[in-house]
Structures are given as C-alpha cells and as structure tokens.
Amino acid sequence: MKFIEVSRFNKIPKDIQDMLLASGVLPVTPVTMWTWDAINAKDENGNRKYKYIIGKGSSRSGKTFGYIDCLDRYCRENKGKRCTVWRDTKTDCVNTVLNDIKRHLGNTNRWKKKFAFNETRSVLKYEQNSTIEIQGTDQENTVMGLTSGVAWLNEPYKIPREIFNQIDQRTEDFMLLDLNPKMGHWSDDLAKDPRCIVIHSTFADNPLCPEESKAKILSYQPVSMCHLVESGLITKEQANEYDIEKNVSGFDVKYLKELARCRENEFKNSASAFNWSVYGLGLKAEKPNRIFSFTEIPDEEFHAVNAPIYTGVDWGAVDPWGIVDIKYYDGGLYLHERNYLSENLIRASLTTTERTQIDSADEGIVKWKFGKLGIPKNRVIVCDNNRTSKIIALRQAGWEYAVAAIKPKGSVLDGIDLVNNLRVYYTRSSENIRYEQENYSRKVDPHGVVLEDPEDKDNHIMDPTRYVAEFLAHPNQGIIKKA
C-alpha cells in the first residue's frame, strides 16, 4: 500500500487513477500524509524521531480517518505489531472508533481484506499477525497489564494523565493522540517533549470534508474574526456597516464574501467566537461558561507558605479520587494535588499481597492510601459526606480530625462564590488542578444561555477545594471571612 494526497490524485487522468488504485495506491487527506511522515521520521542516529504524535485541530480536519489509514498500513507492512485504540470506556470506543474503522475501510474496499475481524473481542487480526484492538480505560487490569507497539488515544478528554502514563510505559513504538483544543489538557505538557510532534489541521485542510459539515463550521465565524477586521483594515463597527456592493475601499472579493457570510451568521445568531476558534480554527479558547481561573506557582512557593495544611477529599472508586492539600494565607488559597487515581486503578496497580492486605480490613484502601501519602494523623481532613464508612475508617485508623463536608441546600453555589472571592494558587506539578480549573464550567441551556448551576464533571479537585474553603469560613473556624 502507498499513499497519495487526494488533491494530487484528483488531477491525474481517470485511466491512470484506475491503474493506481488497482496497484494498491490509496488517495488520502493531508493529515494522513503528515501523520505517516511523522511515524516514519528518523533522528540523526537513524532511530524513531517521535514517540508521541498529537493531532490537534478543528472538527472535520480528517484526523480520525487519517489515523485509521496509518494504523491499517502499519499493520499490513509490519509483522506482529499490536495496535491498541483507547477511549475512556470500551463501549464508547466500539461505538465511535470501531464504527469509523468499519465505515472508512469499507468505503475504501479494505474491510476484511488481508485481516480477520473478531466481533466479540473487537480485534482486527492481519495476515502479518499484527492487530488493531479496541480498548477502554474503564478496564483497569487491561490498562495496567497490556503491552503494545502502538497506542492511539482517541479524544482523551476524560483520560487522566496517570492512565496515559500507564499506557505510555507499556507502548514500545509510538503513540497517537487526537483532540480538538476545546479545553486545557495534559497533552499541552506532553507537547513540550522533544520526542513529540503536534500536527495542526483544520477542516480547510481536508478536501474530503462534507459540504454540510463545512457550512456548519463556517456558520460559527463572527464578524470580529473575519479577515478584514482581524487584519486591521476596518473595525468591527465599520464591517457591520460597510457597503459590500459599492466596495469603495476596493477590498478583495473573497474577503467581501467572507464578510457577507459573517454578517449573516450574526443575523442568524449562529456566530460564536468560542466555536469558531475551536471547531473552525482548531485553536484553544477560553470557555464562556468557565467558573474558576487560578494562578500557577512553583511547588516551592506552596511549601514556603507559613500556614497550616488542610486536606480535602472527593471519594472515587471509578471516577478520580481527588485528594488536595490546601493552605490559607492572607486572602489566598494555595493548592497542591496529592492524588487523582481512582480506587480501582490503584488496586489494579498493586501486587497480589498488597491487595490482600488492603482487602482484609474495612475500607483498607483508604487507610493504606493516606498512610502512603504520609498525611499526619493530626491533620484536619474535610471529606465528601457521601461515603461515611470511609470517614469512619479514617478516624478509626488514627486520623481523628477527618470530618464530613457540610452541604446544605445552595452550598455548591455559595462555595463557588466563596472560592471566587479569594486568590487561588496551585502548584506547577498539580496537572489535574490545572485541567479542572480551566474546564469546570456552568451549565448551558439548549439556547446557549449560561446557567448558574455548574456541570457535574471536572470537579474531583474543585469540590474538595470548596469543602475546605467552606470549612474555614464556618463560624466555628472563622479563618476565612465571607464577603
């Protein structure tokens, strides 16, 4: 199999096209070509240049089909390679990526050619004994025990950095990640690794982008982000009033067409600076419904703050188990992340002996984890009140100042207001705090109106931060003065 860029292929006479197709040449998008080149790039010593390939960009840029093309070719050309595909659940991975694989390989006459498909296991096994296997990070034992040559993390917004690390250390050749930069993500730090390449693409780079999809994405572009305004040729106000037909300034016709479309978007209320930045330009943008905006500081600055430490806890067996150390000093909260792995993932990483020791006692993992973290027995620990047995277990194990968070009606919004009235800092090593404070957001109704209540996600550190702040502001403590 060989690749040819589809725009170049379309310029070739029909009879030559037929010959190329018959010989195994496949017309592909630019993203496929760029990804394949990155997979095969070598450093000055002839070794693989990139361990990590991140596809970032807008919707419909061809990232998913490009990765499918590359994995399919990789398995056809290499013996005994195991390629794993991951989403946060295997069910979701089957329903999205596997269906895309079936559709794309079917449309290009490759489905079940030179490979067998096991429907039960969701595995494609090639004649070269290479495989493409659909997986989910909800299967803890698989995450902790499965080794592969290639791993593809598809839209890993819900996959914590800790799980990525587990997959990464068991991946021998390279890793693929694809995502729209609609939120802060740990892959932003991964992109700084010299063995990483970020391939940026938009729907405009994809000649196979469906016209309806292209029209939808273009409908997001506001007047303020059209070329004439962004280049400074006219102001937004002038752009709204400019006579396109007379065109007294002699602007290029293509820019006038863009302006006319953007004005129509504004009229139809489809224009959105956030949607255009993320889904049109493939750029990161601040969410209009974002709740918090904390400040990052060096870890040393947290440790240098001369104030007592309080620990906040959000229990999580399947979801992340958020544990955060918090100091309060002179109107500021200082946060340092201690844990984000779920109980299930922690158990899966332990030896059989360790699991036996933990399971021999009620809530043994709670006592084991707090001991492992070295949290002092005289520390005030403010815990989510939805798991009283865990709080009791902590007290019985010696952490006598473990208390349940008080959550009366309206406490969530009150706690959010309390935290927002403080200066909040988090340590540079606290990757999940960085992620959550960027993405914890208020609900948005079907008409795009931002509501007061927060979404129930990206809050495994945000919630215990609120618990501790509310504890310190309680009249019995009086450490934080409410406005």
Side-chain angles (χ1 to χ4, degrees):
M1 177 188 293
K2 292 184 178 180
F3 293 153
I4 182 172
E5 207 275 305
V6 67
S7 298
R8 178 184 166 201
F9 178 81
N10 289 339
K11 297 176 182 178
I12 298 172
K14 182 64 169 62
D15 57 334
I16 305 297
Q17 288 183 358
D18 292 339
M19 290 176 58
L20 291 172
L21 292 172
S23 66
V25 174
L26 180 69
V28 296
T29 64
V31 172
T32 307
M33 298 291 288
W34 301 335
T35 304
W36 187 249
D37 288 344
I39 289 171
N40 292 284
K42 304 294 182 184
D43 62 18
E44 61 275 9
N45 298 317
N47 300 316
R48 185 180 299 283
K49 186 173 183 179
Y50 300 115
K51 170 72 183 289
Y52 313 106
I53 300 169
I54 301 176
K56 278 194 174 183
S58 76
S59 295
R60 291 294 189 168
S61 67
K63 299 186 294 294
T64 299
F65 285 174
Y67 284 7
I68 292 171
D69 287 333
C70 289
L71 287 190
D72 178 65
R73 181 173 177 179
Y74 197 77
C75 287
R76 293 176 191 274
E77 294 184 356
N78 292 276
K79 293 182 178 180
K81 292 296 182 181
R82 186 183 207 176
C83 302
T84 55
V85 185
W86 300 86
R87 283 180 73 98
D88 59 308
T89 70
K90 184 168 183 177
T91 298
D92 191 30
C93 202
V94 168
N95 291 336
T96 55
V97 183
L98 181 56
N99 282 341
D100 283 339
I101 290 174
K102 290 179 178 179
R103 180 159 56 96
H104 186 54
L105 296 187
N107 290 341
T108 51
N109 298 313
R110 286 176 286 166
W111 180 246
K112 293 191 177 180
K113 279 191 177 181
K114 298 189 180 297
F115 70 80
F117 175 61
N118 186 313
E119 185 83 44
T120 302
R121 297 177 54 229
S122 300
V123 173
L124 286 68
K125 186 170 184 179
Y126 288 76
E127 290 182 353
Q128 297 285 74
N129 206 33
S130 291
T131 59
I132 297 177
E133 305 177 13
I134 304 300
Q135 302 289 353
T137 58
D138 56 332
Q139 302 171 303
E140 292 85 7
N141 291 328
T142 301
V143 171
M144 297 296 181
L146 189 151
T147 59
S148 61
V150 179
W152 169 16
L153 276 63
N154 175 247
E155 298 189 0
Y157 309 117
K158 297 180 181 179
I159 298 178
R161 177 66 179 263
E162 290 84 352
I163 294 181
F164 162 78
N165 289 338
Q166 294 296 328
I167 297 172
D168 180 20
Q169 67 192 35
R170 294 170 176 81
T171 302
E172 299 170 354
D173 295 348
F174 61 91
M175 301 187 73
L176 302 170
L177 294 84
D178 66 304
L179 61 166
N180 299 324
K182 60 184 178 182
M183 57 179 67
H185 196 257
W186 49 259
S187 61
D188 297 338
D189 289 331
L190 181 64
K192 302 171 187 175
D193 193 305
R195 298 170 300 159
C196 178
I197 181 173
V198 177
I199 298 174
H200 185 269
S201 58
T202 74
F203 71 101
D205 296 314
N206 182 9
L208 302 179
C209 179
E211 288 301 318
E212 285 298 319
S213 298
K214 187 183 298 184
K216 182 63 177 179
I217 295 170
L218 288 170
S219 75
Y220 297 138
Q221 187 178 9
V223 170
S224 62
M225 299 179 77
C226 74
H227 173 81
L228 294 177
V229 175
E230 289 197 321
S231 62
L233 295 173
I234 54 177
T235 65
K236 177 184 176 183
E237 292 71 23
Q238 292 170 332
N240 284 322
E241 301 297 331
Y242 189 77
D243 192 323
I244 292 177
E245 290 188 5
K246 290 183 179 179
N247 190 22
V248 294
S249 298
F251 295 135
D252 192 299
V253 173
K254 68 179 180 180
Y255 298 135
L256 293 177
K257 289 182 177 179
E258 179 190 51
L259 173 58
R261 175 171 45 76
C262 291
R263 283 176 16 180
E264 182 181 2
N265 294 344
E266 302 274 5
F267 176 75
K268 295 188 300 184
N269 289 323
S270 64
S272 165
F274 176 79
N275 286 348
W276 177 245
S277 294
V278 173
Y279 303 115
L281 303 178
L283 302 174
K284 183 180 175 182
E286 182 169 317
K287 299 174 71 173
N289 54 333
R290 176 176 174 176
I291 294 176
F292 295 135
S293 186
F294 300 165
T295 301
E296 184 177 294
I297 59 173
D299 288 36
E300 296 76 17
E301 189 171 332
F302 171 88
H303 298 303
V305 173
N306 185 19
I309 299 176
Y310 303 85
T311 297
V313 181
D314 183 48
W315 307 111
V318 177
D319 290 331
W321 177 7
I323 303 177
V324 56
D325 282 352
I326 299 177
K327 295 181 179 181
Y328 174 78
Y329 180 76
D330 193 25
L333 282 183
Y334 295 80
L335 316 181
H336 180 59
E337 179 183 322
R338 300 303 306 276
N339 182 69
Y340 204 73
L341 281 178
S342 69
E343 288 185 27
N344 289 351
L345 281 172
I346 292 173
R347 288 180 187 277
S349 68
L350 302 177
T351 65
T352 302
T353 301
E354 287 174 322
R355 282 199 294 271
T356 300
Q357 292 171 346
I358 286 172
D359 294 337
S360 64
D362 292 340
E363 302 294 354
I365 193 169
V366 175
K367 293 175 279 189
W368 176 86
K369 185 62 179 178
F370 276 76
K372 198 80 171 176
L373 292 175
I375 294 177
K377 295 290 180 70
N378 62 350
R379 172 82 53 83
V380 173
I381 304 169
V382 188
C383 310
D384 191 347
N385 63 5
N386 66 350
R387 295 290 186 273
T388 55
S389 62
K390 296 180 184 297
I391 299 173
I392 292 171
L394 271 178
R395 290 175 178 170
Q396 290 177 339
W399 285 277
E400 296 180 0
Y401 298 97
V403 298
I406 300 173
K407 298 192 290 185
K409 185 177 181 180
S411 64
V412 174
L413 295 179
D414 288 344
I416 287 173
D417 289 342
L418 174 62
V419 173
N420 266 329
N421 284 324
L422 300 169
R423 300 186 308 276
V424 184
Y425 308 91
Y426 66 94
T427 55
R428 186 162 297 144
S429 63
S430 300
E431 296 175 345
N432 295 295
I433 296 180
R434 180 188 304 118
Y435 169 80
E436 287 200 356
Q437 61 91 28
E438 284 191 13
N439 296 290
Y440 185 49
S441 303
R442 300 187 191 275
K443 294 178 180 177
V444 179
D445 75 7
H447 304 290
V449 177
V450 178
L451 305 176
E452 194 173 22
D453 291 330
E455 298 175 341
D456 187 18
K457 61 179 182 178
D458 303 322
N459 55 0
H460 308 291
I461 296 290
M462 299 300 97
D463 279 355
T465 297
R466 178 167 50 81
Y467 301 156
V468 171
E470 290 173 319
F471 174 83
L472 296 177
H474 192 276
N476 291 343
Q477 305 300 324
I479 296 173
I480 294 178
K481 304 298 182 184
K482 288 190 175 182

